[in-house]
């Protein structure tokens, strides 16, 4: 029998995190956030990766970013077909659905999963499976809640595209969604969740709706790398439908390089996300702070073994700006300490160059340089991936390389995202006690 569970709402988790961690994080554009002093850093754990065998591992995630504007009554009598690409494969599948930002319960009477034919919306013949929840084909998710489907037998190749389709017959509250998908999904009138043909799916969308995770029963996967990041991880400037986020390139390396550790990659990037301050839900929502998201978006992921942290640049460049480099460093150290307590290895990224961006000033550059010096000195993380070195222009080191620049001086293009993935030494993902020659 599968599991149906309700998670704490984001607001309750936020309150708990504030009490337990002593984090004074201001919401929206209110009082300046004051990062906590980190706990004394515990000795870095060195968990041995499990022997290969059947285990449930997250293969795809999408952090919910808020309530989709204009969907106050949900999407009644319409089918949503989400298209997504898994990182690792398996023989059975479970799907996670979220109503985290809903204001009332939402009931789905038809939920399916299938392999996509090409990029969708059509399903590969013979792969369509109806999902159940505690053996029922109908499921009601309360406001703020999350459910996980029962397992269904489906042979999912590594790197395959999946279709997760949902049908809600009645009105509900606002739709919980991931705003920047860089992937075309589809909508159709009526109940078309089980349709192999994509002919009814005539409306396109560039969001992921309701679906926040896919797990597979994997036999050749050692665990998962969870990447907590901002727009550079979200892939806001990657070519749509091409799977060219830096995490996609990383997943390909882990699948294809002969001596690479067999790890899934879970992208928990949110455009505009900050380490120390929550986004404003009344505007373009950029998610809770990275400190809060550690619990909601990282620690619950099945098979999580390694956390990669790509956060901090928005704390510097987005108003109200954090001008104290030590505040950012302290936040990163606290994030690392809490991840260690959960048994995760932590790899952290240097902050990328941004002198070509409209926000750049000498003072903000000073903050970035100081944060990066501390990171490179090995005083924050178990290992470092130097995105600054990978992306900067050798002739003008404060700027992105011209051939990596999407055009705004901060966000990479596809070539830049590939360079980010190549910059990560795959040995950094393996505990020292289990490190092999790569």
């Amino acid at each position: 029998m599968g599991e149906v569970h309700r998670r704490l709402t984001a607001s309750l988790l936020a309150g708990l995190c504030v009490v337990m961690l002593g984090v004074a994080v201001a919401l929206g554009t209110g009082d300046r956030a004051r990062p906590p002093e980190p706990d004394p850093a515990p000795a870095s754990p060195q968990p041995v990766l499990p022997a290969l065998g059947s285990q449930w591992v997250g293969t795809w995630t999408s952090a919910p970013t808020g309530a989709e504007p204009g969907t106050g009554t949900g999407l009644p009598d319409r089918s949503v077909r989400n298209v997504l690409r898994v990182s690792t494969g398996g023989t059975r599948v479970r799907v996670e659905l979220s109503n985290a930002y809903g204001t009332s319960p939402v009931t789905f009477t038809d939920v399916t999963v299938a392999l996509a034919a090409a990029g969708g919306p059509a399903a590969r013949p013979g792969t369509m499976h109806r999902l159940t929840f505690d053996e029922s084909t109908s499921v009601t998710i309360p406001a703020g809640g999350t459910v996980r489907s029962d397992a269904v037998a489906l042979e999912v190749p590594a790197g395959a595209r999946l279709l997760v389709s949902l049908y809600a017959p009645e009105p509900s509250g606002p739709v919980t969604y991931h705003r920047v998908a860089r992937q075309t999904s589809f909508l159709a009138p009526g109940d078309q969740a089980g349709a192999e043909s994509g002919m009814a799916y005539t409306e396109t969308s560039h969001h992921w709706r309701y679906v926040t995770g896919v797990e597979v029963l994997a036999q050749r996967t050692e665990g998962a790398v969870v990447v907590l990041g901002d727009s550079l991880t979200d892939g806001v400037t990657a070519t749509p439908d091409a799977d060219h986020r830096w995490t996609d390139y990383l997943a390909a390396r882990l699948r294809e390089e002969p001596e690479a550790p067999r790890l899934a990659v879970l992208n928990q990037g949110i455009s505009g996300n900050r380490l120390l301050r929550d986004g404003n839900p009344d505007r373009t929502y950029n998610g809770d702070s990275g400190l809060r998201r550690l619990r909601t978006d990282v620690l619950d992921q099945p098979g999580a073994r390694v956390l990669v942290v790509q956060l901090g640049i928005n704390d510097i460049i987005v108003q109200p700006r954090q001008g104290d480099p030590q505040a950012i460093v302290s936040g990163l150290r606290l994030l690392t300490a809490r991840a260690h307590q959960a048994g995760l290895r932590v790899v952290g990224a240097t902050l990328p160059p941004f002198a070509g961006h409209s926000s750049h000033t000498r003072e903000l550059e000073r903050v970035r340089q100081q944060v990066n010096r501390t990171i490179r000195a090995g005083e924050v993380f178990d290992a470092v991936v130097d995105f600054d070195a990978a992306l900067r222009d050798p002739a003008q080191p404060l700027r992105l390389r011209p051939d990596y620049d999407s055009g705004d001086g901060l966000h990479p293009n596809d070539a830049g995202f590939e360079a980010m993935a190549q910059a990560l030494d795959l040995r950094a993902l393996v505990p020292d006690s289990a490190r092999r020659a790569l």
Side-chain angles (χ1 to χ4, degrees), residues 79-80 165 180 277 324 328:
S79 295
V80 177
S165 306
V180 181
R277 186 182 296 272
D324 179 6
I328 297 173

Side-chain angles (χ1 to χ4, degrees), residues 3-5 95-98 133 139-142 145-149:
E3 172 188 5
V4 176
H5 65 282
V95 173
E96 181 185 80
L97 305 178
S98 175
F133 301 82
V139 62
T140 297
I141 313 175
T146 301
V147 299
R148 180 178 291 141
S149 75

Side-chain angles (χ1 to χ4, degrees), residues 369-392:
Q369 293 289 351
Q370 183 57 55
V371 172
N372 282 352
R373 277 193 292 270
T374 306
I375 290 174
R376 289 192 181 103
E379 300 174 3
V380 181
F381 304 111
D382 299 322
V384 175
V385 52
D386 199 340
F387 286 160
D388 174 38
L391 294 172
R392 67 191 179 206

Side-chain angles (χ1 to χ4, degrees), residues 275-335:
L275 172 69
L276 303 176
R277 186 182 296 272
D278 294 340
N280 190 331
D282 297 327
R283 303 179 186 174
T284 300
Y285 193 64
N286 298 319
D288 290 336
S289 71
L291 285 169
R292 297 181 192 264
R293 291 212 294 134
L294 176 68
R295 182 170 298 277
T296 59
D297 294 352
V298 176
L299 300 187
D300 284 345
Q301 299 305 325
R305 300 285 181 265
V306 184
L307 168 64
V308 176
V309 180
Q310 182 275 303
L311 285 172
I313 192 66
N314 286 323
D315 293 79
I316 295 174
I317 69 175
V318 176
Q319 295 285 359
R321 293 167 174 165
Q322 177 55 259
D324 179 6
Q326 187 55 43
I328 297 173
V329 168
S330 294
L332 292 172
R333 284 177 174 153
L334 179 58
L335 194 66

Side-chain angles (χ1 to χ4, degrees), residues 73-145:
T73 58
L75 295 169
D77 197 29
R78 300 177 75 187
S79 295
V80 177
R81 178 155 285 180
N82 297 285
V83 181
L84 52 95
R85 188 176 189 183
V86 302
S87 56
T88 194
T91 57
R92 297 175 70 81
V93 176
R94 298 193 300 214
V95 173
E96 181 185 80
L97 305 178
S98 175
N99 192 25
Y101 292 97
T103 56
S104 60
V106 58
T107 297
F108 298 108
T109 57
D110 200 359
V111 183
T112 63
V113 64
L115 297 178
R124 192 179 301 178
T127 67
M128 180 69 68
H129 288 74
R130 184 158 279 107
L131 294 176
T132 60
F133 301 82
D134 279 348
E135 300 183 351
S136 172
T137 57
S138 179
V139 62
T140 297
I141 313 175

